[in-house]
Structures are given as structure tokens and as C-alpha cells.
Amino acid sequence: MKLRTIHIYGFGKFENKTFENFSPNLQVIYGDNEAGKSTIMSFIRCMLFGFPTKGQSEYRYVPKTHSKYGGKLIVELEDGEIIQIERTYGKATGDVTVQFSDGTIGGEETLGELLGGLDRQTFQNIFSCDLTGLQNLENINEEMLNRYLFEAGTTGGSGLSHVEQELDKKLSELFKPSGRKPTLNQQLFELEKVKERLEDWKQKNETYNNLLGQKGKIKLELEELYTDKKNYEAEKHLLEKKKQLLPLVNEQKSLEHQLKELPSYAPFPEDGVQRLEKWKSQIVLLKGEWNELKNRCSNIDREIEDLDLNENLLNNGGKVEALKERESMVQNKKEALRSYKTEINTLEEKINRSIGKLGEEWSEEDLLETDTSFAAKEQLKELLSSKVKLEQRKEFLDHSLMKAREELEEAEQEGNQLREDLLSDQEYSEKEEAVQKWDSVKNREERIHVLTREIQLEELNRSSGGKKESSFLPMYLLIGFGVISISFLFLSGEWIFAAVTMFLLVLGSLLFYKASQQNPSVDSGADLKALDRKREELTRLKSIHHKDEDNLEQDARNALYLLELHEKASFQYGHAKERIKRLARNYDQEAEKYDEWEIEYHTNENKLMAWIHSYRFPVSFPSASLIEGFELIERAKEEIKQRDHMIKKAGVLEEYLAKEENELKELCDQFAIVYRGTDVSLAMLWQKYQGELDKRKQLEYLSERRRDVMESLGTVEQKISTCQSAIEELLDEAACSDEDSFRLKGNTREGAIKLQQQLTLIKHQMRMSGYSGEFIKSIASSENQTQQEIDLQVANVKTKLTQLTEREKEMNRLAAENNHKMESLLEGENYVDALHEYHQSQSRFQQGAYEWAVYAVAKDMLGRAKSNYQQERLPIVLEKAEEYFSYITEGKYTRLYQPAGDRGFTIERMDGIVFSPKELSRGTREQLYLSIRLALAGSFSKKYPILLDDLLVNFDRLRSSQTRRLIQKVSEEHQVLFFTCHPYNLDSFEKEELLHLV
Amino acid sequence: MTMSKLTFIHTADLHLDSPFKGLHSLPSSIYERMKESTFHSLHNIVSLAVEKKVDFVLIAGDLFHSEERSLRAQIKLHNELIRLKDHHIDCFIIHGNHDPLDGYWVNLEWPENVHIFGEETSFKPYYKNGKLMAHLYGFSYPTKRVTDNRTQEYVKKEGPDFHIGMLHGNVQGASDHEAYAPFKVEQLLEKQFDYWALGHIHKRQVLTSEPPILYPGNIQGLSKKETGEKGCYLVELEKKRTRLTFQNTAEIIWKKVEVPIDGLTSFSELYSCCEEVIEGIRSDHYGVMATLMFTGSGTMDDFLQNDQEIEDLIVSLRDGEERKKDFIWIAEWKVETNPDWDREELKHSELFAGDIVRLSEQYEDKDIDEALNPLFHHRRARHFISKLSTSEKQELIRDAEKLLLNSLLKERT
């Protein structure tokens, strides 16, 4: 890769600057300080590896004066293709575009590919260095050197160390020799388990054949056992039959023998012995009974003796019973007596109280003598009630008399008063005159008025014809007036005036009527005359007019008023007088009545006194309490009578009771009972009597029993004799003299019968056993075999059989077990399952193992390749460096040894002395590092441009010119950009190689 | 005189109840079927025999998988032989290296139609309707190891029309199998038999067809290497011509399929491509244990380099298969895509990667042993890891190299 053109859009101090036509070999860039040499170097680095990010320490050269940041490089690749790398400001390290000659475009990735994985650090260390960079090599050790070497050898891809790490990781994930977690370790663990199971199953399978053999053997043995068993069973059966029959046969023989041996046993009555025994036992029983009865009889006799009955008491039983019977009655009587006595006391007290009330002078005799008959009482009551009534009437009479007197006095007073109000006679006539005067005046005026009216009407009638009515008018008026006057007079009590007026009125009216009756007959001429008369009259009347007419009226009025009053008073006065007369008469009557009462009262008093005397009441006795006292006496008399009656009754009772007691006492004495009062003694007597009664009953009962027992004794004795005669009969029948021989004979007969029965039974059993006669005979004939012998034989056979059965059981059990085992082996897919599982697991493990193997081999190969590479390449690089170093120092230093471990390089001088880099002078040291660097750069498969920044400062003239020559030589294969600010460095370079920065 | 003719079935290497290699983490439904698969295949063979009314059945050794044969296997075989007996079909059996006579044997009483050869080579006559039809020759392995050539023991005994040899052994030249009872085809031809019923090699192969000398292969593929249909030969043997018909009887078949990733640009494209491939091999007759080989090159290569990603892909492809009768179960997958780099170029480059390539070419067996020592010779683990074969070792080196180059040369992501 060679740089051809640099185009800066904006970077540091440069803006839109282009440096063209760089030499493909050596390009010297000369400029003073601040001309931009370092800027260009940084620019190249940035173009290739990106702008430093803000976090990095490297200076970013962001333009200060303008905004466009970045630029592009035009580069020639190894194969001669020209490409363009442009990087502008963008995210992080900037936006990069790689443009190929055929127009294809790439980005950061493509650039990375072009740089073959070279990173900024390595580029800076190997290809782009200044003095400080050179010094960095001072501490180089083996590892670092190797790293450079491998980086030089790898083009792209992950770093070697990364690859190694990945391999290690994978390997340890898969397997660790003593691990547990890694995949293969786990699988191995499982695999072993499966394997174990499989082995288990294999083992089991092997047992199958054994089991099969076993099975055959068992079967065979079982068959044998079966046959043996069958034989033994048959034998056992036979023996058992024998055993069963043998005793029967023996028995038969023995029985027959016994029968022969027996003495004679006939004649003998049927069941003779039993019958004898029956009678005998009967007698024994009866004798026992007889004794028992005898015994009982004597007991009863003794008991009767012991009773000791009191006949006397029993004979007096009637009395005792009577006493007992009356006991409650006596008791009642006692009770009654007590209550009588109480009552007597009470009455006595009452009598005393009554006497106390009546007075001390009274005695019981007095009381009894007093007449308290019903008639007396009624008489007293009547007298007393009369007295009361009279007293009441007196009160009434007093009152009426007083009232009459009061009324009379009052009326007299009133009359006097009224008389005073009357006018004197003179006064009265004066007043009457005044009134008459006024009346005449008034009549005249009335006439005037009437005449005026008549005249008017007459005149009117003349013109109209009608005048009847007008002639009546004055009459009417007169009547009206009269009526009014009369009524008025009546009302005011002026009777006389009224009557006068009425008379006048009636008179006037009659006259007037007569006059009017004659009128119609008068013709008009007459009328005119009357009229004129009237007019005359009127005129005359009018002329009579008194001057004092007004005074007259006044006087008349007063007089009239007074007259009225007088009239009224005189009327009242008349009334009053009348009344007084009446009241006076009344008073006299009342006084008369009072006198009558007085006479009546005295008569009554006298009668009462007479009663008291006649009935022996003390005179002092208040009449008001007479009735009460009378009743008291009455009651007291009653009480006395009652008491006396009671005393009499009590006497009767006492007498009776004494009689009873005497009787009781008598009985007690007679039967030796200490008398302790009626109740107790009677009870004791009664008890004793009852006891005797019981004894008598007992005696009767015992006598009865004794009779029964004596009867039973007779019966028993009879039975005994019956039994004895029956026994005699039996003995006779058997021709035996005594009972013993009878019995012996009887027993013998019994035995014979039994034997015969047994014999029959055995014969029957043998018949029923189902064995043939011959078989039975054979047993009977073989007398040598005993029961025990057969038993022994049977026992032997049984033991054999038990053994065989046990064996059979065991064999069957074994067979079952065997079969079960075999079945489980056949059935179980377990072995197959385990087998398949094992192979699955193994396959998986094997596959894992293969995977591991790939990584393991890869790792191994990588390791080997690395060491091969080092061994092959390092010497080449060292040789190159040695060559360069030797050239620069003009052969002063001849050898360069590679670092080992932490030890750095060692250098051998031409004289053979060995130095470490630190021991060299600064310039020489720098020359050494430059040589190594150039050698390393040369070892890279890709020839990146080498940037050298004024490295020759510390070199002497000779060595610097040697260096320049070396650089020139190197640049023939590898483009070198040589930056310098020292003009002397330019001497040895061609003009066209120079770029002068201004 | 009618033309004499024999009809029979030739099978071998039943490996009843044999476990499978390279299978793990199967869903239970498939696992159960795998376990039963050898029995199913045997059952199908017997059914075929019954259906075709064959005269007899030949089983040329390795009826069981190992000397420690499972009881179940023996009983199932027994039951199947009874079935043959019920149909009056004879059965001739020799035992091979996997089920030698000294192995663990249950004393099952074989039915009388079963004829088992003893350890001495002998012949057994076959009568059809009372007529002697054939002599059958053979021997059983007395022990596991029979490594000598036994062909000269086969001596033709004249009589019947047909002579059939039964031999469990390795034809010379077959390298992958252990050299038990080796023989050469010419040696068999010399015997002038009418048919050679071979057993031992699991891969079906007809060595010669005139007369037929052939391996019928095993009856059920037992590992990813035993791909393809498995079963037996139905043989109709006549003097003039012979008809061989292979019949698949396996219910689970191993298959290896390629998934070329060329041109695939996304996960979904890759997924559908896989599905397409899978559906392409689905069959109504059997379930399939598949090995997926990702080949070609393309952008999905990166994806395939990531173990986790690829495993997720496989899991989703497997999803639901366990419920299907005609399942396709991806038992294994292999990324065999072409790398970005040119190996030849690298070999000559001065780069470090070049050193790796150069080194891997010089990498030796002992280096491998050394590198694998911690696990492969681990006290406990070593019992469960079989030794790597030469080819496996080569594969291992390639895989390791690929791993390294991938890491070193792939761009940083």
C-alpha cells in the first residue's frame, strides 16, 4: 500500500489542502516547525484508523477556523489498484468511504479488510514513529516481540490470542479431566450409571440358563415324588383297613369265650334284680317316712304343752271387748265434758259482765224475776216512740208560733208607714179644684177644634154632597179620648176618677149617638143653621180666653200627679189593713195548738213512769237506755239458763265416766295389770287379751296337724307290709332262699345278655365295613399281628408321606420361584432398554468427544504453528535487524540476539563484547530500535507506508547519512514518508523526493 | 419330469435388538420405533416368506448382535421361526462372529423346521414333498474369532439338484470389515455350487450372479453409514436361470442428503431449501434417519459456521416429525461448504494461516493421540470412546484446520 495523494478538507491548520504525487518509494517532507508535519502524520493515521474519540488522549486536530473536518487519501494497493479513502466528521471515529477504481464503495469494514486487521496501536508502534515512539521499544521483551511478529503474520481475523482464548473456553466447557460441570463430564457420569445398569442386567440374563436347568430338575423330581406318594398312600390305606377290623375280630373271640364260662342263670323273673331293688328301696323310703311322721307328732305335743293358755281371761273376753269397743266413745265423752266446763266458765263470765253493766243492785234472782216478755217490750217501745214524736211536735209548734208573731208585727209596721204617705183631706180638695179648672179650659179648646173641623167638613160636603162622616168624627174622638183617660186612670190607681170618666164617656157617647141619629133627617137648611150656630159658638168660645191659662195647666199637672200618688197610697194602705187582720187570726190559732201538745205530753210521761214501776226497773234508769237495758236483762237471763243447763249435762257425763273407770280397774286387778290410767291400762289389757286369743288359735292349729300326722302314720305302716310281701314273691319265683343268692343269679343273667348283644353288634359292624368275608377271615387267622404292630407300620408310612409332601411343596415353591424369575427375565424389556439407552448415551458422548477432539487438535495445531512461526520468522527478523544495525554502525555491532523471557535484546560488538540496549549510548540505542522497527515492518505481509519523524537528531553525521541510505534502500520495497525540519537531512535525497511545506 | 425349482429367502446379519450407533436425544416415539426396527424387519421377512410360500429361509449368520444376545431377541426370533413352521417353511441357520455358539444362549427348543449348523462344516438335506431337493452346506462360528479360510471344508456331496453354500465371512478385498473367515470369490466358484448365501458384510452386494454369490446386507441400517434400503433376497433358483429379487423390509432407512447453499441469501431461503430436500426423501414405506450435508458456498456460510444458529435451524426442521409415521429425523448434519480462502494459496503464503495449513499436512497420528490424551485416555472416559479410525483421524485434522482457518481468516464481526 502506497500513499499517492493527501487531500485535507479541514484538519488542524490545513484547510482544503492537497499534497499530490507522493513518491512510491521515499517521500521526504520538509518544513519548519509548525509547518504541519505532525499534522500530516496524524492526518494519515486518522484517515486509516479513524479520528480519536473524545475520550482518547490523542489530539484530534479539529479545525479552529473552519468547520469541515476530515479529508481523503488516495492510495495505491499492492496490485496497483488506486483507491480513495475518505473520512469526514461523523459518529465516533468519523464516517469513512472507500472507493475502488471500479466504482464500488465500502465502509469501515472494507477499510479494515484492506488494512488486514492492523490496528492503530501496531501501526503506531511499527510504522509510524518519532523519537518517543522509538524509545518505547526499549522495554521490549519476548512476548511483545512475538506479538508484533504474529500481527505481522496475520492478515485480518481475530487476534491470535482471541482465537486461543476461544479454543480454551470451548474445551473447558466441554470437558475437564476432574471436573463435574462440563458437558462431557456430566454425560460421562450418566453414561457410567447406565453402564452399571446394563451390567446388572447382563448378570441377570446369565442366570436364565441356570434357572432353565433347575426347572427341568425340579420337574423330574416332582414326577418321582408323585409316584412314591401314590404307592405309600395305597399301603397306608390297606393298613388302616386292617387296623380298623382287627379289634372287632378280637372282640368277637373274647365274647364267645366269656359266654361259655358263665354259671346257670335261669329261672329268673324278668328284671328280677331291679324289681327286688325297687321294693327294697321302697321299704327304706317308707321307713324313713314313718320315722319322720313320728317325730313330727311328738314335736306337736311339746308345742301344745308350751302354749299355757289363760282360760279365765278368755272367759272375760266379752267385758274386755266391750270396754275396747266403748273406748272411743268414752274418749268423746271426756272431750265433751271438757268443752262443757269451758262453756260454763264463759257463760259465768258473761253473766257477771251483764250484771256489772246493769248495776250492782241487780242479782241473779232479780234478773230471773224481771218480766221480759214480748208484750212488755212492745209496750215500752210504744211509749218511748210516743215520747219522741211529742218532743218532735213541740219543736215544730214553737217554730210556727214564733213565725206567726213575726209576720204580724211586720204587717202592722208596714200599715203604719202607708198611712203616713196619704194626703190630708184639704190638700186633696185643692188639688181636685186645680184639675177641674184645667179640664174646663181643655174642653173649650176641644170644642173649638171640633167646631172648626165640623165647619170645614160641612163646607166641603156642601160642595161635594157627603157630610155623614164628618158628623161622627167628634164622637169618635171623644170616645178615643175617654178610653185613653180611663185606662190611664186605672193604671194609676185612680179608680174613682176612672169610674167617673167612664161614666161621663158612656153618657157622652150616648148623647152624641142620639144627636147624630137625628142629623140625617135634618135637611140642608137645618144644617146651615147648625153650622151657623157652630160658627157662633166658635166665636164665643174663642173669645173666652183666660190670661192665666198657662199657669193653670202647670198647676193642673202637679195636682194630677199628687192625686195619683195619693190614690196609689190609699189603695196599698187598704191592703195592709186587710193583711194585719188575717195574720192576727193566724197567731191565735198557733197558740191554741201549743196548749193541746202540752196536755198530751204529760199524759205520756205518766204512762212511762207507770211502766217502769210495774216492771221493776229502777226509776233512775235513763229512759233512753231503757230498751238497751231491757235487752241486756233479757240476754243475761238467757245466759243463766244456758249455764245451768250445761252444769246439768256435765254432771251426767262425769257419772258415766266414773263407772267406766271402775269397770276397767276391776279387770286390771283381776289380771294382774298395774292400773295406769284408763288409756294405758286398757291398751295393756287389750294386748294381753289378744295374746291369749292368738294362743288359742295356735292350739287349734296344732291339734289339727297332730290329727293329720297320726293318719299318715297309719298309711305308711300299711305300705311297708305290702312291699315286704312283694319281695317274698320274687324270691319264690327265682327259687332263691335269700336276697343275696337272688342277686347273684340276676347279675349272671345280665352279663350273659350283654355279651350276646356285643357279639351281635360286632358281627353287624363287620358286615357293614364292606370287607369281604375272606378278608376278615384272613385277618382273624393271622393272629400274630397285633394292633401296635399295625400302628407302627402306619406311622412309618405316614412319616414317609409327610416327608414326600414336604418335599413336593418345597419343589413346587422352587418351581414357582424359578418360573417367576424366568418370567421376569423374559418379560423385562429392561435389559434391552438399558442396552439401547447405553448406546444412545455412548453415541452422544462419542459425538461430544469428537467435538472436543476437534478443538483439542485445533489448539494443539495452533500452538505448534505458533512456535514454528516464531522459530522460523524471528531469526529472519533478527537477521534483518542485525543487518540494518550493522549497516548503520558501519559494522561496529555485529550480532543481535533475540529476547528471551523478560530479558530484552542483547547486542554483540565486533570485538565480541555483549551489551544490553541500556548499556548503549542514546544515539546507538535509537539506531538499534530503528533497525528492529524497519525489520519488523518488513516482515509484515502488507507493506504499509512507514512514517518517520525526524529520527536522526541524535545521530552523528556519518551514521545519519548511513541511515538515510538505509532508508532509501528500504523504501525501494516499502514506501517511506520521511519528515524533517533539518535542511542537512535533505542533502542525500533526490529533489523529486522532496515536499517542502511552507 | 417337471423342472426342479427352489424358492427361498436369503437373509443375514439380522443383528436383532442391536443398538444404534450415533443416535441420541431421540423423541420417544422414534426411539421406540428404532428399538423395534430389527424385529419389524425380521417380521416383514417372515411375512414375505409366508406370502411367497417359499421352500425355506436361509439366515447366514449374525442373527444377534453380540454374544450377549438379549432374551427378547431370542424369543422374538423363536416366535418368528414358529410362524415359519406353522407354514411348513424350513429354516437353515449358521451363526457368525456376532452370535457364536459359545455365546450366551438360552436353551430354547427350536422348532423342528429349524436346522442349525454346528461348528464343523457339514451339509443338511432339504426334502420337498419327500423328494431330496438340495444339500445345504455351512458351519457356525464356535467362537467369536474365526479368522482362517474355511472354504476347503465345503465339499460338494452329490445327490440333489441343488447345492447351496452358506458362509459368514469376509470376501477378500473388503477392507472395512474385520477379516473373519476370509475367502476369495474364485474359491467359492470352484465348488460349483448353485448358490452362495453369504453373510457378514452389511452392505448389500452381489459378488457374482452366475452362480449367485452375494451378501444380502443387514436387514436394518444401524448407523448413518448403513444408508439405503435394507432387507432380503427372494431367490427363485432353477437350473437354467435364477431370479433374484431384493425386497426392502426395513421400516427405518438411513439417508445422507446434500443441501447446497449456493445462491441462498437469507435464513428463510436456507430453511425452505432444507425443507425441500427433506420432503424429497420422504417415503410412505419407512421413516428416515437423515444426515444433512451443507455444501456449496455462499453468504449463508457464515450462518452455518455458528453452532448455535445451525442447531436452532435443525430443531425447527425436526419439529413435528416425531408424530409422523413417515418421519424424517435429522440425526446428524455436517457443514461441508467451501471456505472463502484458497487452501492451496494459503499453503504457499508466508502468513501465519499458511503455517497452519502446512502444519496440518504434516500432522501425525501421534500428535493426535497426544492432543487427545486428556479425554481419550481419561481413566473413566476411555471406556466409552472408541478408537478413531484412520479416516476419522483425517477428518478430525481437516475439521480442526477448518476451525482454525475460519477463526483466523474470517473478518471480525
Side-chain angles (χ1 to χ4, degrees), chain A residues 893 895-897 904-920 928:
Chain A
Y893 293 96
R895 295 298 301 271
L896 185 59
Y897 297 101
F905 288 97
T906 42
I907 306 100
E908 190 183 314
R909 212 161 57 183
M910 57 192 293
D911 55 8
I913 296 172
V914 177
F915 299 91
S916 74
K918 281 180 187 158
E919 291 169 311
L920 298 174
L928 170 67

Side-chain angles (χ1 to χ4, degrees), chain A residues 869-918:
Chain A
Y869 191 81
Q870 283 168 20
Q871 279 165 21
E872 282 172 21
R873 293 306 177 86
L874 196 58
I876 296 171
V877 173
L878 282 175
E879 202 178 308
K880 206 86 184 166
E882 194 179 77
E883 185 193 323
Y884 292 161
F885 189 44
S886 180
Y887 182 80
I888 293 170
T889 58
E890 291 188 295
K892 183 168 184 186
Y893 293 96
T894 52
R895 295 298 301 271
L896 185 59
Y897 297 101
Q898 69 178 81
D902 285 338
R903 187 169 57 83
F905 288 97
T906 42
I907 306 100
E908 190 183 314
R909 212 161 57 183
M910 57 192 293
D911 55 8
I913 296 172
V914 177
F915 299 91
S916 74
K918 281 180 187 158

Side-chain angles (χ1 to χ4, degrees), chain A residues 124-140 144 148 888 905 917 922-936 946-955 963 967 978:
Chain A
Q124 191 132 9
N125 285 342
I126 310 286
F127 295 95
S128 161
C129 58
D130 49 17
L131 273 179
T132 40
L134 266 189
Q135 295 298 330
N136 282 346
L137 278 182
E138 192 163 325
N139 298 320
I140 200 161
M144 281 166 72
Y148 289 135
I888 293 170
F905 288 97
R922 177 172 181 173
T924 315
R925 202 155 65 224
E926 284 172 8
Q927 286 145 22
L928 170 67
Y929 291 142
L930 181 63
S931 306
I932 293 169
R933 210 174 265 255
L934 288 173
L936 272 173
I946 300 170
L947 315 179
L948 301 173
D949 185 11
D950 249 350
L951 295 169
L952 313 181
V953 187
N954 298 321
F955 294 9
T963 307
I967 288 167
F978 188 85

Side-chain angles (χ1 to χ4, degrees), chain B residues 344-410:
Chain B
E344 276 310 299
E345 201 178 287
L346 276 179
K347 205 160 118 185
H348 300 292
S349 106
E350 295 199 352
L351 287 172
F352 184 63
D355 279 8
I356 301 272
V357 177
R358 287 189 290 276
L359 183 75
S360 91
E361 302 225 320
Q362 298 159 18
Y363 209 67
E364 289 174 29
D365 276 10
K366 68 172 176 60
D367 297 332
I368 291 179
D369 291 343
E370 204 177 301
L372 300 187
N373 194 42
L375 178 63
F376 281 56
H377 290 97
H378 184 263
R379 182 175 54 81
R380 284 157 57 208
R382 64 171 180 231
H383 305 297
F384 305 107
I385 302 172
S386 42
K387 268 191 148 185
L388 293 173
S389 64
T390 321
S391 62
E392 280 170 330
K393 281 180 178 168
Q394 285 310 310
E395 197 184 340
L396 179 60
I397 293 168
R398 303 286 288 189
D399 284 346
E401 180 199 294
K402 208 164 120 189
L403 174 74
L404 282 175
L405 293 182
N406 258 334
S407 315
L408 289 169
L409 299 175
K410 280 276 168 183

Side-chain angles (χ1 to χ4, degrees), chain A residues 395-447:
Chain A
E395 220 170 298
F396 180 69
L397 285 173
D398 285 348
H399 184 71
S400 300
L401 189 64
M402 202 150 70
K403 200 178 161 199
R405 199 172 61 207
E406 274 169 14
E407 273 175 351
L408 181 64
E409 278 166 6
E410 202 180 339
E412 277 169 352
Q413 208 176 342
E414 203 178 352
N416 291 342
Q417 222 161 12
L418 281 169
R419 201 168 59 209
E420 275 169 34
D421 287 346
L422 288 175
L423 288 171
S424 64
D425 290 346
Q426 198 189 341
E427 278 170 338
Y428 185 82
S429 54
E430 281 172 14
K431 294 312 171 195
E432 217 166 16
E433 201 181 335
V435 169
Q436 271 164 0
K437 277 179 187 170
W438 169 240
D439 270 348
S440 64
V441 170
K442 257 191 111 182
N443 283 340
R444 197 187 49 177
E445 273 182 14
E446 196 76 30
R447 187 69 188 155

